[in-house]
Amino acid sequence: MDYINLRQKMVEEQLKARGIRDVRVLNAFSEIPREIFVPQDFINEAYADSPIPIEEGQTISQPYTAAFMTELLELKGTETVLEIGAGSGYAAAILGKLCNLVYTVEIVALLAIKAREKLERLNVSNVVVVISDGGVGLRDKAPFDAISVTAATPKIPDALIGQLKMGGRLVVPVGNNLSQQMIRIIKTEEGIKTENHGIFRFVPLKGEAGWKKT
Ligand code: SAH
């Protein structure tokens, strides 16, 4: 399988052609090998235009979705970023290329351990995988320049807004378990600015800020 060629095709056809413009984001997606992060059974689908199942009923996001969220974070290279939902570790590896330091929180220990192994295998040294409930953020490492939530939330988690620096961006899918609006919050001196960036579909956030079990 010619992964390098497939990866370049993904960047051209799934990202550039659909409006992803940030050259740093496009370069990061050209560099990170997605095939490392997908389960062996789905290796042939690594560059497909869709999410892919990983262990524990979770998914690795569609490349376009991951790129869209990453672009909204507007990273320049010096930032400390929090990701909620490490999953496979793929999006965290991308973020690692675009900022100074990434904390990625995962509530399922098995996934966190696997993500860590993969990041180590790629010699990614600026991504820290933390096993905890990210719905409450990561208090002892806050504040962050940018926060990305890669699971669907019923409402914007207040704790996360509190952990943003002035000027910081929070990108979070908010809605019900079928579809969510991609919300970007920007913390400004004048207050909290809220933008809606369209409809997406994510697996639900668990834990404190997620849906209560029925
Ligand atoms: N960013 C991932 C995709 C994440 S899928 C990637 O690139 O592969 C969403 C992930 O969020 C799942 O792994 C799920 O276990 C995790 N998750 C759900 N609720 C969470 C919570 N409260 N805290 C941390 N992680 C959570």
Side-chain angles (χ1 to χ4, degrees), residues 58-60 83 85-88 91 106-108 111 133-134 150 203 206:
Q58 303 304 316
T59 57
I60 167 171
E83 181 190 36
S88 67
E106 175 54 56
I107 201 165
V108 178
L111 294 177
D133 179 356
T150 66
V203 293
K206 305 172 203 238

Side-chain angles (χ1 to χ4, degrees), residues 15 47 49 59 104 106 122 124 128 143 147 168-169 172 182 205:
L15 309 187
Y47 291 93
D49 188 12
T59 57
T104 182
E106 175 54 56
L122 292 177
V124 175
V128 181
I147 303 178
R169 287 81 60 203
V172 53
M182 189 63 76
L205 189 81

Side-chain angles (χ1 to χ4, degrees), residues 22 69-76 79 169 184 186:
D22 185 331
M69 293 185 84
T70 306
E71 190 168 61
L72 286 176
L73 298 176
E74 294 183 356
L75 301 174
K76 302 287 180 264
E79 300 85 353
R169 287 81 60 203
R184 177 164 72 168
I186 306 179

Side-chain angles (χ1 to χ4, degrees), residues 34 37 52 54-61 66 83-93 104-108 111-112 130-136 148-152 202-210:
R34 189 167 159 92
F37 294 92
I52 295 175
I54 55 175
E55 294 80 2
E56 306 280 332
Q58 303 304 316
T59 57
I60 167 171
S61 303
E83 181 190 36
I84 315 296
S88 67
Y90 176 69
T104 182
V105 180
E106 175 54 56
I107 201 165
V108 178
L111 294 177
V130 179
I131 303 172
S132 73
D133 179 356
V136 295
S148 175
V149 183
T150 66
F202 284 77
V203 293
L205 189 81
K206 305 172 203 238
E208 276 296 304

Side-chain angles (χ1 to χ4, degrees), residues 38-153:
V38 305
Q40 204 52 41
D41 290 353
F42 287 89
I43 194 96
N44 292 336
E45 315 292 318
Y47 291 93
D49 188 12
S50 61
I52 295 175
I54 55 175
E55 294 80 2
E56 306 280 332
Q58 303 304 316
T59 57
I60 167 171
S61 303
Q62 181 183 15
Y64 175 73
T65 303
F68 186 81
M69 293 185 84
T70 306
E71 190 168 61
L72 286 176
L73 298 176
E74 294 183 356
L75 301 174
K76 302 287 180 264
T78 55
E79 300 85 353
T80 299
V81 176
L82 174 66
E83 181 190 36
I84 315 296
S88 67
Y90 176 69
I94 297 279
L95 292 172
K97 287 263 174 210
L98 297 169
C99 69
N100 182 49
L101 179 60
V102 180
Y103 292 97
T104 182
V105 180
E106 175 54 56
I107 201 165
V108 178
L110 174 87
L111 294 177
I113 291 162
K114 289 197 162 214
R116 246 179 225 152
E117 279 168 10
K118 289 170 181 175
L119 293 163
E120 264 169 35
R121 184 139 51 106
L122 292 177
N123 290 320
V124 175
S125 56
N126 65 339
V127 177
V128 181
V129 183
V130 179
I131 303 172
S132 73
D133 179 356
V136 295
L138 195 58
R139 280 190 205 99
D140 58 334
K141 304 294 180 194
F144 303 97
D145 298 287
I147 303 178
S148 175
V149 183
T150 66
T153 61

